PDB file of all heavy atoms in Angstrom:
ATOM      1  N   LYS A 198     -11.875 -25.759   5.862  1.00  0.00           N
ATOM      2  CA  LYS A 198     -10.902 -26.527   6.711  1.00  0.00           C
ATOM      3  C   LYS A 198      -9.790 -25.630   7.314  1.00  0.00           C
ATOM      4  O   LYS A 198      -9.271 -25.829   8.360  1.00  0.00           O
ATOM      5  CB  LYS A 198     -10.407 -27.734   6.153  1.00  0.00           C
ATOM      6  CG  LYS A 198      -9.479 -27.534   4.870  1.00  0.00           C
ATOM      7  CD  LYS A 198      -8.886 -28.719   4.426  1.00  0.00           C
ATOM      8  CE  LYS A 198      -7.912 -28.404   3.166  1.00  0.00           C
ATOM      9  NZ  LYS A 198      -7.261 -29.641   2.607  1.00  0.00           N
ATOM     10  N   ASN A 199      -9.463 -24.578   6.409  1.00  0.00           N
ATOM     11  CA  ASN A 199      -8.354 -23.677   6.839  1.00  0.00           C
ATOM     12  C   ASN A 199      -8.939 -22.439   7.436  1.00  0.00           C
ATOM     13  O   ASN A 199      -8.274 -21.956   8.342  1.00  0.00           O
ATOM     14  CB  ASN A 199      -7.579 -23.248   5.479  1.00  0.00           C
ATOM     15  CG  ASN A 199      -6.807 -24.439   4.960  1.00  0.00           C
ATOM     16  OD1 ASN A 199      -6.330 -25.271   5.664  1.00  0.00           O
ATOM     17  ND2 ASN A 199      -6.866 -24.508   3.562  1.00  0.00           N
ATOM     18  N   GLN A 200     -10.045 -22.011   7.053  1.00  0.00           N
ATOM     19  CA  GLN A 200     -10.642 -20.736   7.641  1.00  0.00           C
ATOM     20  C   GLN A 200     -12.166 -20.985   7.760  1.00  0.00           C
ATOM     21  O   GLN A 200     -12.880 -20.565   6.877  1.00  0.00           O
ATOM     22  CB  GLN A 200     -10.343 -19.692   6.608  1.00  0.00           C
ATOM     23  CG  GLN A 200      -8.908 -19.403   6.380  1.00  0.00           C
ATOM     24  CD  GLN A 200      -8.642 -18.078   5.645  1.00  0.00           C
ATOM     25  OE1 GLN A 200      -8.628 -16.975   6.208  1.00  0.00           O
ATOM     26  NE2 GLN A 200      -8.286 -18.135   4.429  1.00  0.00           N
ATOM     27  N   PRO A 201     -12.643 -21.559   8.790  1.00  0.00           N
ATOM     28  CA  PRO A 201     -14.023 -21.863   9.080  1.00  0.00           C
ATOM     29  C   PRO A 201     -14.948 -20.677   8.901  1.00  0.00           C
ATOM     30  O   PRO A 201     -16.048 -20.822   8.414  1.00  0.00           O
ATOM     31  CB  PRO A 201     -14.036 -22.411  10.452  1.00  0.00           C
ATOM     32  CG  PRO A 201     -12.677 -22.970  10.778  1.00  0.00           C
ATOM     33  CD  PRO A 201     -11.849 -22.092  10.001  1.00  0.00           C
ATOM     34  N   ASP A 202     -14.370 -19.472   9.187  1.00  0.00           N
ATOM     35  CA  ASP A 202     -15.294 -18.343   9.122  1.00  0.00           C
ATOM     36  C   ASP A 202     -15.514 -17.931   7.680  1.00  0.00           C
ATOM     37  O   ASP A 202     -16.360 -17.054   7.575  1.00  0.00           O
ATOM     38  CB  ASP A 202     -14.605 -17.076   9.956  1.00  0.00           C
ATOM     39  CG  ASP A 202     -13.310 -16.623   9.229  1.00  0.00           C
ATOM     40  OD1 ASP A 202     -12.438 -17.520   9.092  1.00  0.00           O
ATOM     41  OD2 ASP A 202     -13.185 -15.430   8.931  1.00  0.00           O
ATOM     42  N   MET A 203     -14.815 -18.516   6.688  1.00  0.00           N
ATOM     43  CA  MET A 203     -15.060 -18.212   5.325  1.00  0.00           C
ATOM     44  C   MET A 203     -16.195 -18.908   4.813  1.00  0.00           C
ATOM     45  O   MET A 203     -16.563 -18.603   3.660  1.00  0.00           O
ATOM     46  CB  MET A 203     -13.742 -18.484   4.571  1.00  0.00           C
ATOM     47  CG  MET A 203     -12.685 -17.616   4.858  1.00  0.00           C
ATOM     48  SD  MET A 203     -12.798 -15.968   4.148  1.00  0.00           S
ATOM     49  CE  MET A 203     -12.558 -16.275   2.383  1.00  0.00           C
ATOM     50  N   ALA A 204     -16.808 -19.781   5.456  1.00  0.00           N
ATOM     51  CA  ALA A 204     -17.866 -20.678   4.929  1.00  0.00           C
ATOM     52  C   ALA A 204     -19.052 -19.901   4.386  1.00  0.00           C
ATOM     53  O   ALA A 204     -19.543 -20.063   3.301  1.00  0.00           O
ATOM     54  CB  ALA A 204     -18.293 -21.684   5.982  1.00  0.00           C
ATOM     55  N   HIS A 205     -19.438 -18.854   5.117  1.00  0.00           N
ATOM     56  CA  HIS A 205     -20.477 -18.006   4.655  1.00  0.00           C
ATOM     57  C   HIS A 205     -20.211 -17.192   3.511  1.00  0.00           C
ATOM     58  O   HIS A 205     -20.990 -16.484   2.843  1.00  0.00           O
ATOM     59  CB  HIS A 205     -21.123 -17.126   5.871  1.00  0.00           C
ATOM     60  CG  HIS A 205     -20.189 -16.026   6.277  1.00  0.00           C
ATOM     61  ND1 HIS A 205     -18.914 -16.288   6.840  1.00  0.00           N
ATOM     62  CD2 HIS A 205     -20.173 -14.747   6.080  1.00  0.00           C
ATOM     63  CE1 HIS A 205     -18.342 -15.053   7.090  1.00  0.00           C
ATOM     64  NE2 HIS A 205     -19.180 -14.092   6.547  1.00  0.00           N
ATOM     65  N   MET A 206     -18.872 -17.030   3.187  1.00  0.00           N
ATOM     66  CA  MET A 206     -18.344 -16.241   2.158  1.00  0.00           C
ATOM     67  C   MET A 206     -18.001 -17.041   0.894  1.00  0.00           C
ATOM     68  O   MET A 206     -17.393 -16.673   0.020  1.00  0.00           O
ATOM     69  CB  MET A 206     -17.190 -15.407   2.571  1.00  0.00           C
ATOM     70  CG  MET A 206     -17.334 -14.454   3.686  1.00  0.00           C
ATOM     71  SD  MET A 206     -15.814 -13.776   4.427  1.00  0.00           S
ATOM     72  CE  MET A 206     -15.481 -12.644   3.078  1.00  0.00           C
ATOM     73  N   ARG A 207     -18.625 -18.286   0.907  1.00  0.00           N
ATOM     74  CA  ARG A 207     -18.513 -19.291  -0.202  1.00  0.00           C
ATOM     75  C   ARG A 207     -17.103 -19.786  -0.431  1.00  0.00           C
ATOM     76  O   ARG A 207     -16.745 -20.580  -1.361  1.00  0.00           O
ATOM     77  CB  ARG A 207     -18.761 -18.540  -1.649  1.00  0.00           C
ATOM     78  CG  ARG A 207     -20.275 -17.978  -1.574  1.00  0.00           C
ATOM     79  CD  ARG A 207     -20.506 -17.327  -3.139  1.00  0.00           C
ATOM     80  NE  ARG A 207     -19.765 -16.186  -3.332  1.00  0.00           N
ATOM     81  CZ  ARG A 207     -18.986 -15.820  -4.351  1.00  0.00           C
ATOM     82  NH1 ARG A 207     -19.047 -16.671  -5.327  1.00  0.00           N
ATOM     83  NH2 ARG A 207     -18.232 -14.673  -4.414  1.00  0.00           N
ATOM     84  N   GLY A 208     -16.245 -19.609   0.602  1.00  0.00           N
ATOM     85  CA  GLY A 208     -15.073 -20.363   0.608  1.00  0.00           C
ATOM     86  C   GLY A 208     -14.223 -20.329  -0.618  1.00  0.00           C
ATOM     87  O   GLY A 208     -13.803 -19.296  -1.085  1.00  0.00           O
ATOM     88  N   ARG A 209     -13.938 -21.493  -1.278  1.00  0.00           N
ATOM     89  CA  ARG A 209     -13.098 -21.550  -2.444  1.00  0.00           C
ATOM     90  C   ARG A 209     -13.697 -20.800  -3.652  1.00  0.00           C
ATOM     91  O   ARG A 209     -13.074 -20.522  -4.627  1.00  0.00           O
ATOM     92  CB  ARG A 209     -12.781 -22.939  -2.769  1.00  0.00           C
ATOM     93  CG  ARG A 209     -11.725 -23.086  -3.822  1.00  0.00           C
ATOM     94  CD  ARG A 209     -11.494 -24.620  -4.169  1.00  0.00           C
ATOM     95  NE  ARG A 209     -11.050 -25.346  -3.037  1.00  0.00           N
ATOM     96  CZ  ARG A 209     -10.380 -26.502  -3.243  1.00  0.00           C
ATOM     97  NH1 ARG A 209      -9.997 -26.897  -4.461  1.00  0.00           N
ATOM     98  NH2 ARG A 209     -10.026 -27.220  -2.267  1.00  0.00           N
TER      99      ARG A 209
END
Side-chain angles (χ1 to χ4, degrees):
K198 68 177 181 179
N199 295 323
Q200 303 191 76
D202 66 306
M203 291 287 287
H205 73 286
M206 301 172 70
R207 298 180 295 136
R209 195 183 296 206

